[in-house]
Amino acid sequence: MIQVLYFARLRDRLGTAGEEIADPPATLGELADSLAARGDDWAEAFGGKVLMAVNQEMADRGTPLSDGDEVGFFPPVTGG
Amino acid sequence: MKVRISVQTAPFDLAEEMSRLTGGDVGIGGVASFVGLVRARNRVGEREAEISTLTLEHYPGMTEKALGRIVDTARERWPLQGVTVIHRVGELQLGDPIVLVLTASAHRRAAFESCEFIMDILKTEAPFWKKERLPDGSERWVDARESDGAAAARWLTSP
């Protein structure tokens, strides 16, 4: 079981702030691909530039996933 | 070495933060400060518009970690005696302060450079997102700027 969180434009597009996924794939990239395959809104949300974090650290498609991980997907940041 | 990092909805007071940073440390020779404000006009893509309010969202937990790492990197790079980073979230009005960075050092160069470094890296690595509301009531997410990426990248190449 992992916790997946969506932020900002991504969350608005998907209509959800997050979810739990019971049987996640081995890597972050595979997770992103499986989410993008859920439908049009998902494909669009994951079609642009999406940043990824695992356990609140920036990560990339090759980052492995483990039980209990917190995954975050979000657009490029615009603070400051 | 004083480090203060805060993500908050409340406004901050520059004078109060200055005294908190420098109080009792007479080895400090200078403090550089940057205060970011909500600007009335902004451009998103091709469209420049007057905005009415700005809402800042963040990734609680990760934001504080990211800011902590940025400050740690600055401390490794410059001889600093204190750093304060305060970033506001929630709904802000035109002219409101958004972000405060204070860097204290024995000499000005370290203070100036590290203050700019922290802002440049914060803008590309700390998980904050701005959403603008326009006078007609519509809302739009602010896009990341390429110039911000370039500003952050130059610190990776310069000695």
Side-chain angles (χ1 to χ4, degrees), chain A residues 9 11 57 70 78 80, chain B residues 57 59 69 128 130 141 143:
Chain A
R9 189 189 311 231
R11 182 202 53 235
E57 304 283 350
E70 176 183 300
T78 55
Chain B
E57 176 183 328
Y59 182 166
R69 183 168 319 102
F128 292 100
K130 291 191 179 109
W141 289 100
D143 287 320

Side-chain angles (χ1 to χ4, degrees), chain B residues 115-124 148 151-152 154-155:
Chain B
C115 187
E116 192 170 18
F117 169 85
I118 290 169
M119 272 310 301
D120 283 348
I121 307 296
L122 181 156
K123 287 194 81 95
T124 57
D148 286 338
R154 83 199 154 98
W155 292 105

Side-chain angles (χ1 to χ4, degrees), chain A residues 36-55:
Chain A
R38 280 176 169 179
D40 289 348
D41 284 344
W42 294 82
E44 193 177 328
F46 281 88
K49 185 168 185 195
V50 175
L51 303 182
M52 317 177 195
V54 173
N55 298 326

Side-chain angles (χ1 to χ4, degrees), chain A residues 53-73:
Chain A
V54 173
N55 298 326
Q56 305 186 349
E57 304 283 350
M58 292 303 292
D60 56 40
R61 291 183 53 87
T63 305
L65 295 175
S66 311
D67 192 41
D69 279 350
E70 176 183 300
V71 171
F73 290 108

